[in-house]
Amino acid sequence: MSPEVPFAALIVAAALSAGTLYAIAADLVHRPRGGMLAAFACALGLTAWASAAAAQESVSFRSLDNETTLTAYLDRPATEDARPAIVMMHGCSGLLDRNGRILPIYHAWTRMLVAKGYVVLVVDSAKSRGFGQTCTAGPQRRTMLRDRPKDAYAALQYLQAQRFVRADRVALMGWSQGGATVLLTINDKSIGRPQPLARDFNSAIAFYPGSCSETFQTRPFTQVEPGRWTTQTPLLVLFGEADVWTPFAPCEAFVNAAKARGNPLELKSYPRAVHAFDAPNADRRELPAYRNGDGPIPLIGTDDEARADALLRVLAFLERHFAQ
């Protein structure tokens, strides 16, 4: 750890509100890489170690597709008080590594969110269906895009039935294909929302969402007419402008058009960031196996400044909407 941030900073970071943390990070991201920026990001990540948490628990429940028994991983603060909660939806590479461990990107987010006092439920949509990666085109990818909104709502209903969850304070959070799931889940003509539904998602966050364009969010892919995508759920979209796997420009146009129609959307982009910029300590590397036709080879990797900003931006967004 950098000597510029003493151990006491860990305790301070744990105690600060998300809004205060964000103000600090906004100043730090204008400084050179390393030094205070890296140390503060480290301090933020390590706050989870200072927070008492119940042991991670594997749970299962039925997807609303009426076919799949989903496995999910539940983490929460060690308290029986009802807390806000987050449903997390993984990307097309799946949730687990080849050793059966949750991938670092989802583990890091879970650790931080639990440290802030939230209940976290990470849904394994892939392995629950006997799937591996679903990044390449084929029937399994089509199944995931069609049915994962039903997984999201099944997870919402599971959490709302738990005594330690505030039923009116559950957010949805997804990455890449999981981000596409967020868009397909929260729109007013959702392909997964059950009827009736007493309480919907309080808010939603999508990192570099797949299928984020006017084309893929309307007919024939959904029930939405062109130019009519709407939602009542506040949504934060975070995107790397240098992302060649899920391109930024169509998503920016889609989000801006939806905002112009009065939808509660926010978009934050990072000029130099690529796909999976919020993963911890991931070197930039190409994924030629996931290339689609003659398209660009997918590129992933951590962007320290974008990740530091996103961590605090997400906390501030959740804090704001959970307080309403």
Side-chain angles (χ1 to χ4, degrees), residues 274-294:
V274 298
H275 209 76
F277 66 80
D278 57 314
N281 305 315
D283 294 333
R284 286 204 176 192
R285 62 189 178 98
E286 294 183 332
L287 300 175
Y290 293 163
R291 185 181 188 184
N292 284 317
D294 295 329

Side-chain angles (χ1 to χ4, degrees), residues 94-116:
L95 177 63
L96 308 177
D97 65 17
R98 58 186 62 179
N99 296 314
R101 296 176 299 215
I102 293 177
L103 291 170
I105 186 170
Y106 311 119
H107 176 73
W109 275 107
T110 297
R111 186 175 66 176
M112 185 192 68
L113 292 167
V114 173
K116 292 299 295 182

Side-chain angles (χ1 to χ4, degrees), residues 167-235:
D168 60 343
R169 296 291 187 273
V170 182
L172 179 63
M173 191 170 176
W175 291 258
S176 196
Q177 186 190 92
T181 300
V182 170
L183 298 178
L184 293 166
T185 298
I186 67 170
N187 76 77
D188 289 349
K189 292 185 179 294
S190 172
I191 59 176
R193 183 180 294 116
Q195 296 297 335
L197 180 67
R199 296 184 180 91
D200 210 330
F201 285 105
N202 163 275
S203 52
I205 299 161
F207 278 88
Y208 32 88
S211 304
C212 185
S213 69
E214 186 68 25
T215 298
F216 291 113
Q217 290 301 318
T218 59
R219 290 184 184 274
F221 300 100
T222 73
Q223 299 301 312
V224 179
E225 297 297 335
R228 299 292 182 87
W229 189 96
T230 57
T231 185
Q232 307 305 309
T233 305
L235 171 65

